[in-house]
Amino acid sequence: RIVIDLEYRRKGYGRSITKESIQFLKNNFPESDITISAQYRLVNFYEDLGFERDGSVYIEDDIDHIKMNLKANK
């Protein structure tokens, strides 16, 4: 999970942290896809980063989530 204090939201920090994480995984595990359990309200955020939806919405911790994948070759 990424948690950004309200004062620092909408400044791109979450996107930067996520991009850094993706790059780390691609550098260290280049043949592996990345799979996440994303809060459904953030689907567009992750799709903008190249993730694709995989399956239906499900409840996790009383919040709608969806499985998302980023292929190793993207």
Side-chain angles (χ1 to χ4, degrees), residues 42-56:
L42 297 172
V43 163
N44 293 334
F45 172 84
Y46 290 111
E47 285 179 335
D48 287 345
L49 294 169
F51 285 86
E52 297 177 353
R53 301 174 199 205
D54 182 3
S56 301

Side-chain angles (χ1 to χ4, degrees), residues 19-64:
K19 284 180 155 183
E20 239 357 90
S21 299
I22 291 168
Q23 194 57 55
F24 174 86
L25 292 169
K26 285 184 173 192
N27 289 343
N28 290 281
F29 306 97
E31 302 299 317
S32 297
D33 294 345
I34 301 170
T35 301
I36 62 172
S37 177
Q39 287 188 11
Y40 188 70
R41 67 182 184 84
L42 297 172
V43 163
N44 293 334
F45 172 84
Y46 290 111
E47 285 179 335
D48 287 345
L49 294 169
F51 285 86
E52 297 177 353
R53 301 174 199 205
D54 182 3
S56 301
V57 175
Y58 55 90
I59 301 296
E60 183 177 315
D61 297 327
D62 295 323
I63 301 168
D64 289 345

